[in-house]
Amino acid sequence: MSYCVNCGVQLDRTARRCPLCNTPILNPKETVDTTSPTPYPKEKGQVDQVKHTDLAILLFSVLGSTSAACGLINFFVVDKSSWSLYIIGVCFMLWVFFIPAVLSTKLPIYVFLLLDGIAVAVYCFLISLNTPSRVWFLELAVPITATITLLVIIFAFLIRNVHASILSGAIYLFTEIGILTVSLECFIRSFLHMEFAMTWSAIVLICCVCIDIVLITIITRSRLREAVRRRMHI
Amino acid sequence: MKKKEKKNLQQKETWYKLDLSANVYPTLQRKNFSSVYRLSVLLKEKINPKLLQEAVDMTLPRFPTFKVAIHKGLFWRYLAPNNRPGPYVQKDVANFCMPMNFKLNNRYLIRLYYYERRFSFECHHSLADGSGGMFVLQTITANYLRLLGHKIPNGGFVLDINEKSKKEETEDAYLRYATSKMRPPRTQEKAYRVRGTVEPFYTLNVIGGIMSTSEIHKKAKWYGASITEYLNAVLLYALIQKQKADRPIKERPVKLAMPVNLRRFFPSQTLRNFITMIYPTIDPRLGDYKFEEILTQVHFYMRYYLNDKFLNADITTNAATRRNPVIRIVPLFIKDFTVKQFYSRVQDKQSSAGLTNMGAITVPPGMEKYIERFDIYMGQPYSARTNCAIVSFGDTLTVNFASSIVESDVEQYFFRKLVEDGIHVKIETNRSHC
């Protein structure tokens, strides 16, 4: 039998190290027993995932049948305009939104966010099929959807991988609001064939920058942070 | 005839309200956490899984409150009989006490495992406490041994499977005994919390120490204390050492959350939860405590608090919420939110570690020769810390630490102190690198 030279406890014959202090066992008179069973099994158990197959089928049938019914009514009964595309688009969009909740896939969240963005763009495209011109879709809807999707993905990345406190979350949020408003004005002006200039977006941007500066100061100054926490505690 | 059959069926379909403390555990349920504990018995011969399954199938109908599924009502959760196939005996895993989703495992809230000579029973705390679970474990074990051809009488923790379950076994004993006129406050000061590197989902690190009951008893007697008091003091001592080594800016009191089996104080045959918490405390801000001083503090704390008056007052505080008509009509989701917030912000921060001692386990005469020892595990802690569970059988006492953090400093201080006191300790673990 081996004892840990550090802790003085007797160790199991199958142990290679002391579980308490991690000291390797070097006993020339008794080598590690590799044939006897260990006190606990080695195989790890997998935590079962809840399968929402029934919910997925229900969602698919509800959304699918709604789309199909509206499509059929539109083409055979009320065929003045392609109004059913709005409903089909909403059903498709909802289906894409529910995928991560319904199917427990191992894809990263960023892929789902990208798919959500694409679903919104597809919906805008379906709307544009019913409008006289598709310029708004190409010059407004696509760039705005792409920008929002990108900003949401960046926000998710920052929260998950960089720093996730309430204050840092607020910094990311206000920075992104600033960027979004500037981009919005940019896209709108380009759509209206106006020269690029920052007007209303500049006010929002300045407000966001000011809030960011205050938040960064609070984060970096621990005394200030503590004072805010004391006064704002619930 | 048909009417009679229908009546019988209706009688069988009894449902159970969750007992007073059981209401809390499903609320704390997370994707990576369930209040699951484990009781194990190490036999002297290798387990035959087929016979064990047979024993389980024979035994479980005797325990109707264990063969249930948990459901949500509008105001409270409840337990309904579960007649789905199972539960099945399965091969044991290294990371046991895994989260228990209420909709999986055919909705059973118990799991049964075997590994070499060990049979383990895992139970969600909303069904029963350790003592209740011990009845199931021992009755299954006795039936398994009977199937092997051994003669095992009923008695103690082994119930007669041919008898019907008694009403007293399924009652909520809290509500019967919570009669105190005094209600002590629920909140206490925040305690020191062990900080460590959280293991990835889902890992449970177990370090168990096996020692001689008589050696521990002798040492405890030498200090003028009981085994529980002595081991409590050793754990408090270990936590004080850990806090010192952490060099905190502000020291906090070191507290243990220790469940007390109320059946010792109030006569009850319930197989469901009937425990309350006491918090032996040492405040290092008052000065450096020697081990003997810690032990004296614990000894007098126990003598002072462990009596039916104080314990009754404690359970009356808990029962008051359940009896309050306003709270009763609050929808379940609001109750869930409030309880979870209270538990994670207040209750969980009130203790540095959990410690439970099931005491000396007895078995019916003739059964002890087939059993080497019992083990209990408190399961995964709610927050990053370590939980300690003690049980003894004959001359074997086991102390099992379960944690979800990488560091094992508390365990190290604990067992080193026992070794310093001249106690022979054998260590076993499920850590993969050891």
Side-chain angles (χ1 to χ4, degrees):
Chain A
M1 58 184 89
S2 299
Y3 284 81
C4 173
V5 286
N6 244 349
C7 309
V9 293
Q10 189 195 332
L11 300 161
D12 192 70
R13 284 177 172 193
T14 56
R16 293 166 195 278
R17 288 171 175 275
C18 170
L20 299 174
C21 63
N22 221 9
T23 307
I25 300 165
L26 300 166
N27 184 352
K29 284 189 179 171
E30 191 181 296
T31 50
V32 177
D33 184 353
T34 49
T35 49
S36 299
T38 50
Y40 291 91
K42 289 281 177 204
E43 296 78 31
K44 272 197 154 192
Q46 289 295 316
V47 178
D48 293 332
Q49 296 288 324
V50 186
K51 285 176 188 164
H52 296 291
T53 327
D54 297 340
L55 184 65
I57 293 168
L58 184 75
L59 263 174
F60 185 75
S61 53
V62 167
L63 296 173
S65 58
T66 311
S67 312
C70 289
L72 289 172
I73 292 168
N74 189 190
F75 289 108
F76 293 109
V77 187
V78 194
D79 57 350
K80 280 180 186 168
S81 67
S82 307
W83 56 269
S84 64
L85 287 176
Y86 297 133
I87 296 155
I88 293 167
V90 168
C91 289
F92 170 73
M93 209 162 60
L94 285 175
W95 171 239
V96 176
F97 288 172
F98 282 126
I99 284 176
V102 173
L103 305 170
S104 52
T105 56
K106 286 181 181 172
L107 285 173
I109 188 172
Y110 313 112
V111 176
F112 286 113
L113 290 173
L114 185 68
L115 286 175
D116 291 348
I118 293 170
V120 174
V122 168
Y123 184 55
C124 292
F125 174 72
L126 291 176
I127 293 172
S128 74
L129 293 178
N130 264 349
T131 53
S133 159
R134 267 181 229 166
V135 184
W136 68 269
F137 170 71
L138 292 170
E139 290 185 8
L140 265 186
V142 171
I144 291 173
T145 316
T147 313
I148 293 174
T149 311
L150 186 69
L151 289 174
V152 170
I153 290 172
I154 292 170
F155 185 76
F157 175 80
L158 291 171
I159 287 288
R160 288 162 71 92
N161 298 311
V162 183
H163 197 245
S165 70
I166 296 173
L167 287 176
S168 52
I171 294 175
Y172 306 147
L173 189 72
F174 283 108
T175 312
E176 294 205 342
I177 289 173
I179 296 169
L180 182 65
T181 42
V182 173
S183 322
L184 274 179
E185 187 165 17
C186 204
F187 297 140
I188 292 166
R189 281 181 169 269
S190 134
F191 176 67
L192 297 172
H193 304 293
M194 290 163 75
E195 267 185 35
F196 177 72
M198 281 167 69
T199 54
W200 57 272
S201 68
I203 299 165
V204 181
L205 186 66
I206 289 164
C207 291
C208 289
V209 170
C210 291
I211 294 169
D212 275 352
I213 290 168
V214 172
L215 290 172
I216 291 167
T217 317
I218 293 172
I219 281 187
T220 46
R221 304 273 166 181
S222 59
R223 270 176 59 197
L224 193 61
R225 195 170 63 231
E226 279 305 310
V228 170
R229 202 170 278 163
R230 261 201 311 276
R231 283 169 179 75
M232 303 284 280
H233 86 275
I234 303 167
Chain B
M1 276 299 279
K2 271 186 182 175
K3 266 188 182 177
K4 263 191 179 177
E5 271 174 21
K6 258 190 180 179
K7 256 193 176 180
N8 280 340
L9 266 177
Q10 275 172 355
Q11 273 172 358
K12 277 178 196 169
E13 287 294 303
T14 340
W15 60 277
Y16 306 96
K17 285 182 184 178
L18 289 182
D19 61 65
L20 194 63
S21 61
N23 274 307
V24 180
Y25 303 115
T27 311
L28 306 178
Q29 184 88 356
R30 288 191 307 237
K31 201 179 168 188
N32 58 355
F33 173 80
S34 291
S35 308
V36 176
Y37 64 86
R38 165 183 275 225
L39 308 172
S40 295
V41 57
L42 187 70
L43 300 179
K44 290 192 175 158
E45 278 173 30
K46 211 173 169 180
I47 301 264
N48 177 340
K50 274 187 186 171
L51 282 185
L52 185 61
Q53 181 65 57
E54 216 175 299
V56 170
D57 296 341
M58 279 161 66
T59 312
L60 273 188
R62 173 66 183 80
F63 297 92
T65 49
F66 287 84
K67 209 172 175 330
V68 287
I70 197 163
H71 296 276
K72 274 184 182 178
L74 189 59
F75 302 108
W76 300 98
R77 286 187 179 79
Y78 62 95
L79 300 171
N82 187 357
N83 295 319
R84 292 176 182 83
Y88 297 114
V89 172
Q90 46 193 314
K91 272 188 185 174
D92 205 356
V93 289
N95 53 338
F96 51 84
C97 288
M98 289 191 289
M100 194 177 264
N101 192 293
F102 296 147
K103 289 182 180 169
L104 296 174
N105 189 28
N106 275 347
R107 298 198 77 129
Y108 281 105
L109 302 171
I110 55 173
R111 293 194 200 111
L112 304 136
Y113 292 102
Y114 71 94
Y115 174 69
E116 298 290 328
R117 293 181 293 136
R118 179 179 291 146
F119 162 48
S120 303
F121 169 72
E122 283 183 10
C123 179
H124 198 278
H125 227 312
S126 55
L127 297 189
D129 56 17
S131 300
M134 185 52 78
F135 278 92
V136 182
L137 178 85
Q138 280 209 26
T139 312
I140 295 175
T141 312
N143 283 321
Y144 171 73
L145 292 170
R146 281 171 193 151
L147 288 173
L148 283 173
H150 306 303
K151 278 191 177 173
I152 310 289
N154 292 317
F157 284 105
V158 178
L159 299 183
D160 185 354
I161 54 163
N162 299 316
E163 267 183 7
K164 271 192 174 179
S165 149
K166 292 175 200 154
K167 207 182 167 189
E168 299 84 64
E169 290 172 6
T170 58
E171 72 166 354
D172 182 354
Y174 287 105
L175 297 179
R176 181 139 69 100
Y177 288 107
T179 52
S180 181
K181 289 171 190 162
M182 165 76 186
R183 285 188 223 157
R186 225 189 273 263
T187 50
Q188 295 176 19
E189 198 185 349
K190 275 185 191 173
Y192 159 66
R193 303 183 84 197
V194 179
R195 300 224 176 264
T197 321
V198 181
E199 287 273 16
F201 178 81
Y202 173 83
T203 313
L204 181 78
N205 288 326
V206 173
I207 295 182
I210 305 151
M211 49 207 102
S212 156
T213 314
S214 53
E215 256 184 42
I216 291 266
H217 182 67
K218 217 169 143 187
K219 195 71 205 174
K221 217 177 166 187
W222 185 79
Y223 280 115
S226 68
I227 292 181
T228 312
E229 287 161 5
Y230 172 63
L231 293 173
N232 245 294
V234 176
L235 185 55
L236 281 168
Y237 176 80
L239 287 163
I240 290 171
Q241 302 299 314
K242 168 78 176 143
Q243 181 169 217
K244 259 188 204 167
D246 285 354
R247 292 171 183 269
I249 301 164
K250 190 183 160 190
E251 282 193 324
R252 285 196 178 277
V254 173
K255 290 186 191 184
L256 297 181
M258 188 186 162
V260 177
N261 183 4
L262 293 172
R263 293 169 188 86
R264 279 172 54 204
F265 303 92
F266 307 99
S268 172
Q269 289 183 37
T270 187
L271 298 183
R272 301 175 73 186
N273 287 295
F274 198 34
I275 47 168
T276 192
M277 289 288 179
I278 59 163
Y279 296 89
T281 308
I282 296 292
D283 197 337
R285 293 172 299 188
L286 298 172
D288 277 341
Y289 275 83
K290 285 180 198 158
F291 178 70
E292 286 79 0
E293 289 170 333
I294 298 171
L295 193 53
T296 313
Q297 192 98 341
V298 173
H299 175 76
F300 288 112
Y301 177 89
M302 298 272 208
R303 299 288 143 114
Y304 186 68
Y305 278 104
L306 288 185
N307 58 69
D308 57 344
K309 313 282 182 302
F310 269 104
L311 297 173
N312 194 344
D314 201 41
I315 57 173
T316 308
T317 309
N318 298 338
T321 47
R322 175 73 177 266
R323 286 172 175 154
N324 187 320
V326 179
I327 292 176
R328 283 164 75 168
I329 57 161
V330 170
L332 183 64
F333 73 95
I334 299 175
K335 281 192 192 108
D336 277 356
F337 177 77
T338 321
V339 173
K340 202 168 190 172
Q341 290 299 316
F342 177 77
Y343 190 88
S344 50
R345 284 171 192 269
V346 182
Q347 194 98 21
D348 188 52
K349 290 179 180 168
Q350 276 180 194
S351 59
S352 317
L355 182 138
T356 182
N357 184 4
M358 268 196 81
I361 300 293
T362 52
V363 295
M367 191 169 157
E368 66 276 347
K369 58 185 171 199
Y370 305 108
I371 295 171
E372 195 168 306
R373 66 166 206 256
F374 283 91
D375 280 287
I376 59 170
Y377 306 86
M378 272 177 94
Q380 190 199 10
Y382 185 74
S383 51
R385 65 174 192 184
T386 182
N387 276 339
C388 171
I390 304 159
V391 69
S392 73
F393 175 69
D395 195 36
T396 312
L397 185 138
T398 54
V399 180
N400 286 303
F401 283 90
S403 81
S404 46
I405 52 174
V406 177
E407 293 81 5
S408 57
D409 307 3
V410 178
E411 290 92 325
Q412 196 180 343
Y413 289 123
F414 181 90
F415 288 118
R416 278 186 182 177
K417 173 65 191 157
L418 290 180
V419 172
E420 269 173 33
D421 275 358
I423 290 156
H424 180 269
V425 182
K426 189 189 171 193
I427 297 288
E428 287 183 354
T429 186
N430 72 340
R431 290 189 182 230
S432 51
H433 67 276
C434 294

